[in-house]
Amino acid sequence: MEKHILSQYIDACELIKETEEDITRLKKRRKLPVQDSVKGSMHEFPYAAQNFHIEGLPYSFIEHPSYLEKEEELLKFRKEDAEKIKLQVEAWMNTIPQRMQRIIRMKFFEEKTWGEVAARLGRKATADSVRMEFNNFMSAA
């Protein structure tokens, strides 16, 4: 596992959330009617002015309904790719020592500094020692 995959994990988790929101927004947009009001008059005398309320679906959705389906399909592919990266990292995390799991979770997932990671690890750990332990582990892996 490479170090850049760990930073992609965080982005993959956020991308999953954002994509789910985009899919929900797209589904709402598909059902959302457009409303407007127009002014007109009667056809016969007396020509009294009236306001008319109109509503319906936008013309582009009716003419090309497949555009929304294609867009939704692309969003689902994006979500699937992000979920693959997420699962890949989580499976790898279960195979490494627990101390290294803690270090990686704090440093990359919680975005702590090396000093904060060392303080949470305790046992006389320093920022440099934790960083070196991580670098040695990643170079050996």
Side-chain angles (χ1 to χ4, degrees):
M1 182 66 57
E2 297 176 8
K3 189 175 179 179
H4 75 278
I5 293 289
L6 292 175
S7 61
Q8 285 184 359
Y9 175 85
I10 297 165
D11 291 330
C13 291
E14 290 301 316
L15 186 62
I16 290 169
K17 291 177 194 173
E18 292 168 1
T19 304
E20 287 172 349
E21 291 170 2
D22 289 345
I23 290 172
T24 304
R25 197 174 309 119
L26 186 66
K27 287 180 179 179
K28 284 182 183 176
R29 197 173 80 189
R30 181 180 296 160
K31 297 176 184 175
L32 186 66
V34 179
Q35 301 178 7
D36 200 1
S37 61
V38 294
K39 290 184 179 184
S41 66
M42 297 172 35
H43 293 298
E44 299 173 6
F45 186 79
Y47 301 111
Q50 289 182 328
N51 288 328
F52 297 98
H53 178 75
I54 58 173
E55 69 177 59
L57 295 175
Y59 180 72
S60 61
F61 294 157
I62 295 169
E63 186 180 293
H64 305 289
S66 62
Y67 286 157
L68 290 176
E69 293 169 3
K70 289 178 184 176
E71 189 175 349
E72 187 175 347
E73 189 175 319
L74 290 173
L75 290 171
K76 286 180 181 178
F77 283 134
R78 181 192 310 161
K79 182 180 171 188
E80 287 174 10
D81 288 342
E83 286 173 341
K84 286 178 188 175
I85 291 173
K86 182 180 174 186
L87 287 174
Q88 202 177 23
V89 171
E90 288 174 353
W92 173 75
M93 287 286 288
N94 289 334
T95 64
I96 64 175
Q98 284 140 1
R99 179 173 173 87
M100 194 53 57
Q101 285 181 27
R102 289 182 66 207
I103 291 171
I104 290 171
R105 285 194 190 284
M106 285 184 261
K107 179 62 182 162
F108 290 94
F109 302 168
E110 298 173 16
E111 298 179 355
K112 304 278 185 198
T113 65
W114 288 115
E116 292 169 333
V117 173
R120 281 188 55 191
L121 286 176
R123 293 182 271 165
K124 299 180 182 178
T126 64
D128 288 336
S129 69
V130 173
R131 183 179 49 77
M132 287 304 297
E133 184 177 351
F134 172 76
N135 288 339
N136 289 339
F137 176 78
M138 291 305 286
S139 64

